[in-house]
Every structure is written in structure tokens, then in C-alpha cells.
Amino acid sequence: MNLARYPRLVDLLAAQYALGTLRGGARRGFQRYAERDATIRNAIDEWQRRLAPMAELAEPRMPPAAVWEAIERRLGLTAARDAARPRHVPPTPARPARPARGLFDNLAFWRGWAIGVTALAAIAVVVAVRSLLPAATAPTTAPTVAQQPEAAVSHVAVLSSKDARPVMLVAWDEAHSTMTLQPLGKVDLPAGRAMELWGIPASGHPVSLGMLPDSASGKVSAGQQKPESYEALAVSIEAPGGSPDHNAPNGPVVFTGKLLPVS
């Protein structure tokens, strides 16, 4: 099969390959195609480049001790350690049978959690990049990612609530001094209140970047602000018109997230 004849299929498979959701024989087969076809390799490289910055959004987590113990047992490290133990040292006693493990002791849960975080990050980048691609008449044959014009988005941030629930995507177009907002979850805005966006620099006080629409959707002007000046973005709940002090929120800060360059 000549995959190059189906650019939309190549684009879809390259995205799944970079994301890690293309598995088993399908992944190995697609990899063999990529080894022989530069167009497929370029599509994979382009997706990996666009998805890579979002990996920093996932905070490191330490799996429970039971997960490491299960890995050691599967790899035979426990038996090897006992065999290497001096004879005068008694072997590690067998652990008593444990009741069924809960969700957070389950290796499959942590593997699924990692995949979920990666998928969320990937979706955020795809939405950000594709939402600001220059408008054009749709071609007869959809181009691959590698053939598409460079996205206008320069920085992105996924803003999450205090319970780590993704709520809002901010895609910053530095070239046009605009920010595009995309809701990722329900935004609970109290009646008679408004949301204000803040830039958080590495040092110094927060800087107000303006008021946000109640729907957390649409475009807002970035004015003269540059995304390189800030490490993170935050949203506070304020009275209509915003905080009286443009150097600090007056109301509670409800959403925060790192601001990362797309490339």
C-alpha cells in the first residue's frame, strides 16, 4: 500500500504515532513505512515538534511503593537479589497475601494516568495550533501537517483549577498581539463577577493582561505585552472592571498554568 497517496491518513497516523496511541502491529507497520518514506517521517517529526512543549505541563508524580515492587517481581529482580544474598543472611520473607489493591495501588491505573495526561497536553496543542492557522479556501486534498503553513501561535498555557482540573486553554499569538481562549471544562463564574487574566513573571509582581469574556471563549488583545516576559498565567475573580490594583489581584486566584513556547 502506498500511504503517500492518502495524505489525510498519513496525517492522522502520524499524530497518533507521536501521541503514543498508535500501538502494536499498527505502530510497527507505520514505523516501517516511515523508514522508507521521507514524507511520512516529516509528518511524524512535525507532530512531535508541536506536541513536545506540552510535556512540561504534567507535574512529576511518584508511584506508590507497590508499583515498584510489582515491577521488580515481573523482572525477576527480587529472586536475583535473594540469590545474590550471602548464605548467612536469611532470604527476604515472602509477603503475606494482600487484599485486592485499590485504584491508587494499581499499575494499570498509573499507566493510564500517564497516557491521559499526555493526551490532554496533545489535544491542547492541536487545538491551539489549528485554531489559528491562517484562513484559506479548503484545498481539494487536505495537506499533511508538514505541508500546512506555520501556525501563528507562539505560546500556550493550559489553566487548571486548584484541584488540577483543566479549565481553559490560552493560545498567545505574539505576531498579532492576540490571545485566543478555548474552554476545556466548565467555568463557574459567580453572578456579577468577572475574570481577569494575569501574567506571572519569574520575579516581580503580577501584571494584568486584561479582562476575559464570561464564556472563556474568543479572542482578547495582548496589547504591548510579550509572552517571553511571563512564566505562567493566572485568572482571578474580580468585580466588573477588574482589580483596582493592576499589580495584584484583588479577588481569589482560581486558575493557573505554565506559559510554554510552541517551538
Side-chain angles (χ1 to χ4, degrees):
M1 178 179 179
N2 183 9
L3 281 182
R5 296 173 53 191
Y6 306 95
R8 296 193 67 176
L9 177 60
V10 170
D11 192 33
L12 176 62
L13 292 174
Q16 295 180 358
Y17 183 91
L19 180 57
T21 56
L22 187 66
R23 301 178 181 176
R27 184 178 185 87
R28 292 189 295 271
F30 188 65
Q31 190 167 0
R32 286 194 293 270
Y33 276 109
E35 292 171 354
R36 302 192 300 265
D37 193 319
T39 300
I40 296 177
R41 291 197 300 272
N42 291 338
I44 293 174
D45 291 343
E46 182 67 10
W47 271 108
Q48 290 175 335
R49 183 186 68 80
R50 288 181 171 177
L51 298 180
M54 301 304 289
E56 297 185 29
L57 290 172
E59 297 182 359
R61 296 290 183 90
M62 180 61 69
V67 173
W68 296 115
E69 294 169 2
I71 292 173
E72 287 184 346
R73 287 196 297 272
R74 289 188 179 186
L75 296 178
L77 299 180
T78 301
R81 185 170 59 248
D82 289 343
R85 189 186 304 274
R87 293 185 177 181
H88 64 278
V89 179
T92 303
R95 290 181 173 270
R98 298 177 61 184
R101 292 180 294 179
L103 178 64
F104 288 92
D105 291 328
N106 191 306
L107 181 60
F109 165 79
W110 288 99
R111 186 183 296 116
W113 175 87
I115 293 173
V117 169
T118 304
L120 173 63
I123 291 170
V125 170
V126 172
V127 172
V129 171
R130 290 195 165 178
S131 65
L132 290 185
L133 286 176
T137 302
T140 303
T141 302
T144 64
V145 172
Q147 294 171 334
Q148 290 175 349
E150 186 67 22
V153 176
S154 58
H155 293 70
V156 294
V158 176
L159 305 187
S160 300
S161 60
K162 292 181 179 179
D163 59 357
R165 177 175 56 89
V167 174
M168 186 187 313
L169 170 69
V170 180
W172 195 321
D173 177 358
E174 183 177 10
H176 300 91
S177 297
T178 59
M179 290 178 284
T180 297
L181 310 177
Q182 177 71 38
L184 300 176
K186 184 179 180 181
V187 178
D188 295 318
L189 183 63
R193 310 297 285 180
M195 292 184 290
E196 187 166 4
L197 182 66
W198 300 86
I200 311 299
S203 60
H205 59 76
V207 176
S208 175
L209 300 179
M211 306 304 294
L212 301 182
D214 294 350
S215 62
S217 178
K219 288 188 177 183
V220 296
S221 173
Q224 301 300 315
Q225 301 295 336
K226 299 296 182 182
E228 294 86 356
S229 303
Y230 307 109
E231 287 193 342
L233 299 180
V235 172
S236 65
I237 302 298
E238 306 288 348
S243 172
D245 181 1
H246 290 301
N247 293 326
N250 185 58
V253 174
V254 291
F255 311 135
T256 58
K258 289 183 179 180
L259 182 62
L260 301 172
V262 169
S263 59

